Amino acid sequence: EQLVRRAAAAFNERRPDEARRLCEAGLIQQPNEPTLNHLLAAVLFAAGATADARQHIDASLSARPGHAAALLLAARIARAEQDFAAALGYLDDAIRRGATPALLIEKARLLDQTADHELRRSGWQAVLDSDPRNHEAMAKLGRAHWEAGDAAEAERLLRKSVEGNAPASTWFDLGL
């Protein structure tokens, strides 16, 4: 447990080499330890070593199959490897266990990479249903409605997406 804390602290303090060394040392003693495998997966993923990261997140999920944070990391790794079906499976599993805005946004962003307009729209609608003030969801849905030919709904959503305290990224996404 102390080793896990030290490795997590090293990772959080942007000392990935130390975090990796600590995780690997712990995994020699306990190869199936889920937290160390999860943390090592995060370190490796941040370094761009997706194949190795995926092995460790799979080991973590074998020990703790329903762990939401591990499922989210597994989805991000799978998406980085262009394995969209696996990424969607991990996200759907995590969402079934308890939808959170972060999970719904991650799924919507994944669906955004598909050619299926209805899937893309349904993903962002789920985000907006869970958080009616989400500017990103409003902007993405507005664009989806525009692409579908529904100019009135597109205008309504796009106007709402930039109201109030809209982040600069919303304006950037709109190309304005």
Side-chain angles (χ1 to χ4, degrees):
E1 194 170 309
Q2 181 66 18
L3 181 67
V4 171
R5 284 192 190 110
R6 288 179 33 222
F11 181 72
N12 291 334
E13 293 168 6
R14 297 191 183 358
R15 297 189 321 255
D17 292 339
E18 182 181 346
R20 181 178 181 161
R21 183 183 53 74
L22 290 166
C23 288
E24 288 172 343
L27 289 170
I28 289 170
Q29 301 298 317
Q30 297 176 301
N32 298 320
E33 207 290 317
T35 306
L36 287 172
N37 272 299
H38 182 151
L39 185 54
L40 184 53
V43 170
L44 293 167
F45 182 55
T50 56
D52 292 336
R54 193 163 190 177
Q55 286 180 322
H56 286 283
I57 201 61
D58 286 347
S60 178
L61 284 168
S62 290
R64 287 188 307 195
H67 192 263
L71 289 165
L72 180 56
L73 180 57
R76 288 178 174 162
I77 292 167
R79 184 173 80 177
E81 293 183 324
Q82 305 291 309
D83 187 350
F84 298 117
L88 189 57
Y90 289 126
L91 288 170
D92 284 341
D93 190 13
I95 290 167
R96 273 192 301 277
R97 296 169 189 280
T100 66
L103 289 170
L104 294 172
I105 289 169
E106 190 72 23
K107 181 176 179 178
R109 288 176 179 158
L110 176 67
L111 294 175
D112 232 13
Q113 296 177 328
T114 70
D116 187 324
H117 295 290
E118 188 53 41
L119 270 180
R120 289 180 12 217
R121 191 165 54 166
S122 70
W124 288 111
Q125 186 62 56
V127 172
L128 197 58
D129 290 345
S130 78
D131 178 6
R133 294 172 294 186
N134 186 293
H135 293 279
E136 181 180 10
M138 285 183 256
K140 298 286 187 169
L141 270 175
R143 184 174 182 91
H145 281 282
W146 177 261
E147 290 171 355
D150 186 353
E153 183 63 5
E155 180 183 0
R156 184 186 76 76
L157 285 164
L158 292 171
R159 283 186 188 278
K160 280 183 69 175
S161 75
V162 294
E163 283 178 0
N165 216 8
S169 61
T170 302
W171 288 96
F172 182 77
D173 286 344
L174 295 175
L176 303 174

